[in-house]
Amino acid sequence: MEFEVGSTTRMIITVTFLIYSCVLIGVGLYAKRQMDKTAIDKYVQEFYTGGRRMGALVVALMIAAGLCSAGTFLGGPGLGYSVGLSWVMAAFSQNFMNFCVLGEIGKKVGIVARRIDAQSYVDLFVYRYNHNKIVGLIGVVSIVVFMGSYVVAQFVGGARLFETMTGFSYGFGLTLFAIVVLIYSAFGGIRGVSLAIVVQGFVMTIAVFALFIGGLRYIGSIEAATKTIAQINPKLISPWAWSPLYQFSLWLVFGLVFIGVPHGAMGCLVYRDTKVMHRAIILGTIFVVLWTIILPWLGQLTRAVYPNLSVPDHAIPSLIMTVLPPWLAGLAVAGVAGAIQSTVGAMIIVISSAIVKDAYRVYINPHAESEKLKKITIWSTIIICVAIFICALFPPPALEWVIVFAIGGLAAAFFWPLLFGLYWMRANEYGAASSMIGGMITYIIARGG
């Protein structure tokens, strides 16, 4: 049975979502006005790091909302629906992502970034490994390949959600998402992204609470729902449908090695001081635990309500439409969209910084003037948005597997060179380059097999 959305409900959801989008566009235009006041010689630094003056809430949500994306709000519940409790248990590994990122590398990266004036994730590698161009080039390629596929999946998730909930076409939803993200990321830089993330983070949290309360009230007895799911497939209620070894690998990918995901580690480059960093760990953990405990589990329970969804990623949208009134459903849709857009914005900044700072300035025009860099920064970000939009016109069938592939690839390329580079003096550029190349190749072969 598939869920159905009435025309009146679709209209209310559409209006709510458009209001939310207008708010984000307003945030982007405000950030642009602030960026226009920036001195030309400081523009690139402000665009990518915000002058390293970000507060605890911004840093917490930059990591939490930036990493909890379509995977947590759509793909994760979709796997909970199709795979069952095995995925629900695996998803819990991301609960302490803020602690993993800021606790493992936050203070060290903050000190080093200020010392060398790092404005991108790859800057850290290039400086640490004796300005080796091969290390820098591999870093840029890794970010473009893996993060590029990651951000395309986010756009696809947002457009699918909009299509399902409003009745408008996939292309229209994709265009709307692209325009909103383009305005606050390309014209507002990290400042626009951070302001948007704060708005999105709160909307996401309100949406999750509303869905949690409405979902449990509608489903009723958890025991009865679990028995219904067990009749469909007993493996859906077992946390060990996957082998312990595979479960452990997922806990590593979504837990310890999150420092290898550049848009998450970007939070380490922008916080104001160590007190802010410590508060961001606590705040971020609160947000992520709330989102992660509730959503994959609700995705699994949706199986008892809609046992035959043709698209598992529709688990959360179907539950939203079933248990919430239209205006609140619109807010919930905005919350899911916020999770996607916050991640996309952070990723676009990372990709842009890699291209401008670590490719253009190193290999093409090392002596570029400030005015030239400003133009290149803005236009490269716009081109990235357009390229992602074009790629998203041809969506993959399952979002979460694309996201898992991208996170694993980024971690395989960056985790060990970053960790050893920060904490082992004997690490050198030859080992770093070998680790990055070997990690990517091994990972791609292993995933392909």
Side-chain angles (χ1 to χ4, degrees):
M1 181 175 64
E2 296 283 350
F3 70 102
E4 297 180 359
V5 184
S7 58
T8 303
T9 300
R10 288 188 189 277
M11 182 183 68
I12 295 174
I13 290 174
T14 302
V15 171
T16 305
F17 188 82
L18 290 176
I19 292 172
Y20 160 80
S21 298
C22 289
V23 170
L24 288 184
I25 290 173
V27 167
L29 294 177
Y30 171 79
K32 181 181 183 300
R33 288 181 60 187
Q34 299 301 307
M35 287 299 299
D36 289 341
K37 298 176 183 178
T38 304
I40 192 67
D41 59 328
K42 298 289 185 182
Y43 187 88
V44 173
Q45 181 183 25
E46 285 289 327
F47 190 92
Y48 291 123
T49 64
R52 308 188 206 282
R53 297 188 300 271
M54 301 296 182
L57 182 61
V58 171
V59 174
L61 287 172
M62 184 177 295
I63 296 172
L67 292 174
C68 289
S69 54
T72 299
F73 283 72
L74 283 178
L79 280 185
Y81 180 92
S82 59
V83 175
L85 289 180
S86 287
W87 172 254
V88 174
M89 187 170 72
F92 287 170
S93 59
Q94 72 176 23
N95 278 338
F96 303 102
M97 60 174 60
N98 279 60
F99 177 78
C100 288
V101 172
L102 294 174
E104 287 180 57
I105 63 171
K107 189 171 184 179
K108 192 83 169 179
V109 167
I111 293 171
V112 173
R114 284 161 173 79
R115 183 181 300 162
I116 67 174
D117 192 27
Q119 295 165 26
S120 73
Y121 186 72
V122 179
D123 276 352
L124 299 170
F125 291 83
V126 173
Y127 183 87
R128 171 61 180 83
Y129 294 113
N130 301 319
H131 299 279
N132 186 278
K133 291 187 176 182
I134 295 178
V135 171
L137 183 60
I138 297 171
V140 172
V141 171
S142 302
I143 286 175
V144 171
V145 171
F146 291 111
M147 190 165 285
S149 60
Y150 198 153
V151 77
V152 168
Q154 303 300 317
F155 263 56
V156 170
R160 279 181 179 170
L161 174 72
F162 187 83
E163 176 188 30
T164 301
M165 305 299 283
T166 67
F168 285 94
S169 69
Y170 173 85
F172 180 80
L174 185 64
T175 302
L176 180 61
F177 265 71
I179 290 173
V180 172
V181 173
L182 174 67
I183 289 175
Y184 71 68
S185 59
F187 301 115
I190 195 69
R191 190 187 302 276
V193 169
S194 63
L195 290 174
I197 281 176
V198 171
V199 174
Q200 291 158 339
F202 280 106
V203 174
M204 289 156 59
T205 304
I206 294 171
V208 168
F209 270 117
L211 184 59
F212 177 67
I213 295 171
L216 289 187
R217 288 181 62 184
Y218 185 87
I219 292 170
S221 170
I222 303 299
E223 180 181 359
T226 303
K227 288 180 178 179
T228 300
I229 296 171
Q231 291 174 355
I232 297 171
N233 186 349
K235 289 185 178 180
L236 294 174
I237 63 169
S238 169
W240 297 110
W242 289 332
S243 70
L245 185 61
Y246 187 68
Q247 283 274 13
F248 179 70
S249 71
L250 289 175
W251 275 72
L252 287 179
V253 169
F254 288 98
L256 177 67
V257 299
F258 254 133
I259 66 171
V261 182
H263 66 284
M266 278 294 290
C268 302
L269 298 177
V270 301
Y271 65 79
R272 186 167 59 244
D273 52 43
T274 52
K275 289 183 179 180
V276 165
M277 185 193 79
H278 294 152
R279 294 193 192 105
I281 292 175
I282 297 171
L283 289 172
T285 300
I286 293 171
F287 280 110
V288 176
V289 167
L290 289 174
W291 302 336
T292 304
I293 285 179
I294 292 173
L295 289 169
W297 183 48
L298 283 180
Q300 192 249 357
L301 289 177
T302 301
R303 193 74 179 233
V305 181
Y306 291 102
N308 299 308
L309 288 178
S310 59
V311 181
D313 289 344
H314 286 170
I316 287 300
S318 67
L319 195 62
I320 288 173
M321 296 308 308
T322 302
V323 307
L324 297 179
W327 69 271
L328 196 51
L331 186 64
V333 172
V336 180
I340 297 167
Q341 291 169 335
S342 58
T343 299
V344 169
M347 287 179 177
I348 287 173
I349 293 297
V350 172
I351 297 172
S352 175
S353 67
I355 292 174
V356 175
K357 288 283 298 169
D358 305 302
Y360 179 80
R361 289 193 67 177
V362 174
Y363 300 100
I364 300 175
N365 192 354
H367 306 292
E369 297 179 353
S370 298
E371 183 68 33
K372 181 76 169 179
L373 280 177
K374 177 180 178 179
K375 292 179 180 179
I376 292 296
T377 297
I378 294 173
W379 277 106
S380 66
T381 310
I382 292 173
I383 291 170
I384 291 167
C385 289
V386 173
I388 292 167
F389 170 81
I390 293 172
C391 292
L393 290 173
F394 308 96
L399 294 182
E400 189 64 11
W401 294 125
V402 177
I403 293 168
V404 170
F405 169 78
I407 291 175
L410 291 168
F414 290 113
F415 176 75
W416 292 115
L418 180 60
L419 195 65
F420 282 154
L422 290 174
Y423 295 106
W424 190 38
M425 292 297 296
R426 296 182 65 181
N428 58 44
E429 60 269 32
Y430 307 109
S434 300
S435 174
M436 295 172 80
I437 295 174
M440 283 194 296
I441 293 175
T442 302
Y443 178 76
I444 291 172
I445 292 174
R447 291 295 299 182

